[in-house]
C-alpha cells in the first residue's frame, strides 16, 4: 500500500502536538507507532531526570527535543537542526507546545565552526553534511558550529545526555565535542552507519576508537517484547546501528 501524501496533526507522549508529513518515514512511524524508534525512546526517557541538560544533535522535527523538554522540566535542551524546512517545523512544534526550556539552533554541529555544503535529500530526515569536493542533486550551505563552542557560549554548567543523528557526520560532531565529553562524560546515543560515514571521510572504526580514547564503552540495545537489554557491540560487524556509549569514568 502507498503511504498517503498528506499532513496530519497528532500527539506525542500523550499531549505533545506534532504535525506529521506521512511520506517521511520518521513521521509515518510516529503516526503509526506513537514514536520513531520506540525501544530507543524508552531508553532515552529512562536516562532523564527533572534537571537533565540534553543536546539533540540532528533534531529533525523534534521528537527527542520535545520529550526531553517535557521530562526534564527543570533542565535545558539545546536542539541543532540545519535543514531549513525541518528547522521551521521544529521551531513550530516547540512554540506550539509552549516549551520554554528549549533553545533551537539552525546550525550543524561539526569539527570546527564555519560553513559547509549540506545535501537536501528528498526525505528531509536523510539530509546531511557533504565533505569538500562532493556533490549532490540538491545542495545548500549551512552554518556549522561545534558542541564545545555552544556549551561555552551558552554557559551550560554540564551536559548529561547527547543524542546524535547526523546522517554520517558523527565523527565530526564528536571531534568538536571533545572538551565537553572530557569534562562531563555525558551519556551518548549515536547513530552510526557504515554506508554513510565514508561520505564524510569517516569510518565506524574511527568513531569507536575516538569514543574509547574518551573513555566510553559502546553497547547496542536489543529487545524482546517489552524488555530491552544493553549488550556489548561487535564493532567490526556494525552496519547501521544506534550506539549507546556509556562513560567508564565519572
Amino acid at each position: 500500500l502507498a503511504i498517503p501524501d498528506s499532513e496530519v496533526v497528532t500527539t506525542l507522549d500523550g499531549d505533545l502536538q506534532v504535525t506529521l508529513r506521512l511520506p517521511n518515514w520518521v513521521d509515518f512511524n510516529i503516526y503509526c507507532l506513537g514514536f520513531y524508534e520506540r525501544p530507543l525512546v524508552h531508553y532515552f526517557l529512562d536516562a532523564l531526570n527533572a534537571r537533565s541538560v540534553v543536546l539533540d544533535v540532528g533534531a529533525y522535527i523534534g521528537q527527542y527535543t520535545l520529550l526531553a523538554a517535557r521530562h526534564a522540566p527543570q533542565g535545558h535542551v539545546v536542539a541543532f537542526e540545519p535543514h531549513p524546512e525541518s528547522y521551521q517545523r521544529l521551531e513550530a512544534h516547540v512554540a506550539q507546545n509552549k516549551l520554554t526550556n528549549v533553545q533551537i539552533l539552525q546550525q550543524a554541529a561539526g569539527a570546527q565552526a564555519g560553513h559547509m555544503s549540506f545535501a537536501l535529500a528528498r526525505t528531509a530526515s536523510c539530509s546531511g553534511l557533504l565533505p569538500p569536493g562532493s556533490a549532490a542533486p540538491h545542495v545548500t550551505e549551512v552554518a556549522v558550529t561545534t558542541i564545545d563552542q555552544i556549551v561555552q557560549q551558552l554557559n551550560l554548567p554540564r551536559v548529561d545526555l547527547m543524542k546524535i543523528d547526523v546522517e554520517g557526520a558523527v565523527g565530526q560532531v564528536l571531534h568538536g565535542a571533545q572538551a565537553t565529553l572530557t569534562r562531563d562524560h555525558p551519556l551518548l546515543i549515536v547513530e552510526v552507519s557504515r554506508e554513510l560515514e565514508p561520505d564524510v571521510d569517516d569510518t565506524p572504526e574511527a568513531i569507536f576508537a575516538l569514543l574509547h580514547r574518551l573513555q566510553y564503552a559502546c553497547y547496542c540495545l536489543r529487545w524482546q517484547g517489552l524488555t530491552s537489554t544493553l549488550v556489548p557491540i561487535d564493532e567490526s560487524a556494525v552496519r547501521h546501528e544506534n550506539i549507546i556509549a556509556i562513560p567508564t569514568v565519572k
Side-chain angles (χ1 to χ4, degrees), residues 11 24 35 43 54 64-65 82 85-86 97 111 116 121-122 151 163 174 177 181 190 194 196 209 219 230:
T11 56
N24 190 300
F35 296 116
Y43 182 85
V54 179
Y64 287 98
T65 293
E85 181 184 279
S86 299
N97 289 285
M116 286 188 70
R122 182 175 180 181
V151 167
K163 182 232 98 184
L174 294 176
L181 298 179
V190 181
R194 189 168 296 279
L196 293 175
Y219 301 84
L230 282 179

Side-chain angles (χ1 to χ4, degrees), residues 10-127:
T10 188
T11 56
L12 183 73
D13 196 35
D15 61 353
L16 290 167
Q17 291 196 347
V18 291
T19 300
L20 305 175
R21 295 176 182 170
L22 297 187
N24 190 300
W25 182 243
V26 173
D27 299 46
F28 187 68
N29 272 259
I30 294 173
Y31 181 70
C32 293
L33 304 175
F35 296 116
Y36 176 63
E37 303 173 328
R38 176 177 282 272
L40 191 63
V41 166
H42 287 302
Y43 182 85
F44 176 86
L45 293 177
D46 286 344
L48 298 174
N49 62 57
R51 298 181 180 274
S52 292
V53 178
V54 179
L55 306 186
D56 187 1
V57 187
Y60 182 45
I61 61 170
Q63 171 180 262
Y64 287 98
T65 293
L66 300 180
L67 292 172
R70 160 66 61 80
H71 289 266
Q74 300 168 53
H76 192 69
V77 184
V78 182
F80 299 75
E81 181 48 62
H83 189 288
E85 181 184 279
S86 299
Y87 171 82
Q88 291 176 359
R89 296 178 66 196
L90 171 62
E91 191 175 47
H93 287 154
V94 170
Q96 185 177 3
N97 289 285
K98 299 180 172 60
L99 298 170
T100 59
N101 58 339
V102 178
Q103 187 156 1
I104 311 169
L105 304 176
Q106 192 175 359
Q107 295 174 286
Q112 57 187 17
H115 290 81
M116 286 188 70
S117 295
F118 187 84
L120 299 170
R122 182 175 180 181
T123 300
S125 60
C126 296
S127 302

